[in-house]
Amino acid sequence: MKDKVLDRIFFTAGLLFAGSELWKQWCLTVVVNGGVYDWWYFPFQLCSLPMYLLLVFPWVKNQRVKMGFLAFLMDYTLLGGVMVWAEPSGLYYPLEALTLHSFVWHILLTVIGLAAGWYWRRKGDGNGRDFLHATAVYGAGCLTAVFLNTFFQERGEINMFYINPSVPVTQPVFRQLAPVIGQVPTIIWYALSVVAGAGILHGLWGIRRA
């Protein structure tokens, strides 16, 4: 696959994600909540971040940055697309159409992650630098999530990246850990576990490449 072809595929996927997300936000606000916006569904979760990356992917000229985005898609995005099935309750909405959208969204995330990994095997950096750049993207996402959680929580319940200390932990295993070690340490362990899981995936891609 040529670079320009991949750019077009990813950008088209980004447009599809963005268009469907606008529809979702409209449904949640107008149909479900009677015109009141619910900040819980603000589109900035680990599984929302690929939408933004796909939209800017073709316009990134720095090859190192671009490969970092690619590594994020094949490591963190694939992890999010797969691990959601361990606790799929968050995929269900009051409207069946929104539930279907959520299921299709995460299936497409898995497809995008696999496509990114397949392409990375041909052009990626085998010394781990791409993973460090991908982790920097995840770290930037976490910092942005902290900002959103802090400055918008007065407008309604918000839990971007599921790292808001004011909201009970809901992830399997970690929700049992929170009463034992505390909310903030649990959130830190959760974030580090995401990095570790993405690192394992990156290592597996490297083995496959070899």
Side-chain angles (χ1 to χ4, degrees), residues 67-133:
M67 295 309 296
F69 282 6
L70 198 69
F72 181 89
L73 293 171
M74 74 184 208
D75 296 334
Y76 288 92
T77 295
L78 183 59
L79 180 69
V82 172
M83 290 305 296
V84 70
W85 307 110
E87 176 50 68
S89 61
L91 300 179
Y92 292 90
Y93 289 81
L95 294 179
E96 291 183 357
L98 289 173
T99 299
L100 177 62
H101 170 271
S102 187
F103 273 81
V104 173
W105 183 287
H106 288 84
I107 291 171
L108 289 179
L109 288 182
T110 303
V111 174
I112 290 293
L114 292 173
W118 177 84
Y119 186 80
W120 178 86
R121 285 173 50 222
R122 189 164 61 87
K123 298 193 67 172
D125 189 343
N127 60 15
R129 185 177 298 172
D130 290 338
F131 176 71
L132 292 178
H133 293 160

